[in-house]
Amino acid sequence: IDGTREILSKLVKEFEIIVIDEKGDYNQAKWMKKLAKVAKNKYNPRWVINNDADEFWIPTDITKSLKDVLNFKGSVLQVPRSNMILYDGINSWMESEYRVTNQILNREDYENSNIMLGKIGRKTIVNPHGYIKTNAGNHSAEHIAFWKKQEPKNIHIYHYPIRSYKQFEKTIKNRAKILKIGAKMGIHYKKWAKLYEEGKLLEEFEKMVFDNEKLKCLQDINIIKKDTKPKELSY
């Protein structure tokens, strides 16, 4: 209901896109498996990427494309991922130049801490030939050639979990709805949905936007570092 479906209807006229409307209960793992099989049967690709809207999969050498660095055979690639942070002084999330390089929180710390600094899971790229399934969240996948799983060193995922309060509230409002019908999702979404219901979501959002003093402190202790690759590619 956020307009995405209407945007896709327009893009279909310009690009080769297959749009699948799922009418049943929310089941991310099942849908990702279906998408991978559709891609395999339609295009016979070497690799399939299940990409979230807030993730950018970027080669460490930005003069190369993903197609360049994925020019080999394998089974499952477990790609490392980092949060890009919001901070005072920027007008848009796309201007962010800092990512979390040393994640410092464990799952049990999430209740009272800044989740932007927490540990986040890798995401997977799968070879659809021999592929069995992708688990919820795309954090792991199963493949016949399980011994060929590897973590590539030449791709990194830049993750933008919060981009504005308006976007954040809209996302969590929707997550709260599907949680009530039994959907499975990460502990952070459960926390945010609870805060939304309690009217405390704005307070939580403001905790995740860093002022200049905190930004400098986090740099000094090597928790975050400057990384302009996504920004360079967006201009």
Side-chain angles (χ1 to χ4, degrees):
I1 59 172
D2 64 356
T4 298
R5 186 62 181 79
E6 290 73 18
I7 292 170
L8 290 174
S9 295
K10 294 177 182 178
L11 291 175
V12 159
K13 299 174 183 177
E14 187 176 353
F15 301 100
E16 186 175 1
I17 297 174
I18 298 172
V19 179
I20 300 172
D21 291 305
E22 296 289 358
K23 303 295 185 183
D25 292 339
Y26 180 84
N27 191 325
Q28 188 184 37
K30 179 182 177 182
W31 294 347
M32 287 193 293
K33 181 177 180 178
K34 180 178 179 179
L35 289 170
K37 289 192 173 183
V38 169
K40 175 187 174 183
N41 295 333
K42 176 73 175 178
Y43 301 106
N44 191 34
R46 180 180 287 122
W47 297 105
V48 172
I49 300 175
N50 288 307
N51 184 50
D52 287 351
D54 61 3
E55 295 172 351
F56 293 82
W57 303 58
I58 300 177
T60 51
D61 179 354
I62 60 174
T63 65
K64 296 181 178 179
S65 68
L66 279 177
K67 188 174 181 180
D68 292 333
V69 300
L70 291 172
N71 189 25
F72 65 94
K73 292 182 179 180
S75 61
V76 176
L77 303 181
Q78 299 171 309
V79 185
R81 188 169 58 124
S82 298
N83 282 333
M84 295 293 288
I85 64 171
L86 281 185
Y87 48 91
D88 292 344
I90 59 175
N91 298 311
S92 165
W93 60 271
M94 290 184 289
E95 296 178 7
S96 177
E97 295 186 348
Y98 291 95
R99 70 178 176 91
V100 180
T101 50
N102 287 297
Q103 301 161 356
I104 59 174
L105 303 177
N106 293 310
R107 291 175 67 89
E108 58 266 27
D109 299 319
Y110 277 5
E111 188 63 33
N112 300 305
S113 302
N114 192 326
I115 200 170
M116 293 297 292
L117 304 178
K119 294 182 179 180
I120 58 172
R122 301 170 295 186
K123 292 295 187 82
T124 61
I125 301 175
V126 300
N127 177 351
H129 304 280
Y131 164 78
I132 299 171
K133 71 172 185 175
T134 300
N135 298 313
N138 191 33
H139 298 294
S140 62
E142 297 177 22
H143 198 279
I144 290 174
F146 60 88
W147 62 91
K148 289 186 177 181
K149 288 183 181 180
Q150 58 181 292
E151 181 176 314
K153 303 298 181 185
N154 53 2
I155 303 173
H156 196 85
I157 302 170
Y158 293 77
H159 182 223
Y160 295 80
I162 57 168
R163 300 180 288 287
S164 68
Y165 180 70
K166 182 179 179 181
Q167 166 270 325
F168 183 60
E169 183 184 49
K170 196 173 185 180
T171 298
I172 304 310
K173 183 178 180 180
N174 186 53
R175 292 277 180 168
K177 286 181 181 178
I178 60 177
L179 271 170
K180 288 179 179 178
I181 60 173
K184 295 180 180 179
M185 60 186 69
I187 188 172
H188 56 299
Y189 280 120
K190 293 177 182 177
K191 172 189 175 182
W192 289 337
K194 181 173 180 284
L195 291 173
Y196 170 75
E197 300 287 357
E198 295 172 353
K200 299 178 181 177
L201 194 63
L202 179 58
E203 181 182 339
E204 175 72 5
F205 176 82
E206 290 173 344
K207 279 172 47 180
M208 295 187 287
V209 179
F210 296 93
D211 60 28
N212 291 330
E213 184 179 348
K214 289 179 181 176
L215 201 67
K216 185 179 185 308
C217 176
L218 291 170
Q219 282 181 268
D220 289 344
I221 59 177
N222 200 31
I223 302 302
I224 64 172
K225 79 171 185 179
K226 197 166 189 176
D227 189 334
T228 62
K229 287 177 183 174
K231 183 178 177 181
E232 290 173 44
L233 290 171
S234 68
Y235 288 99

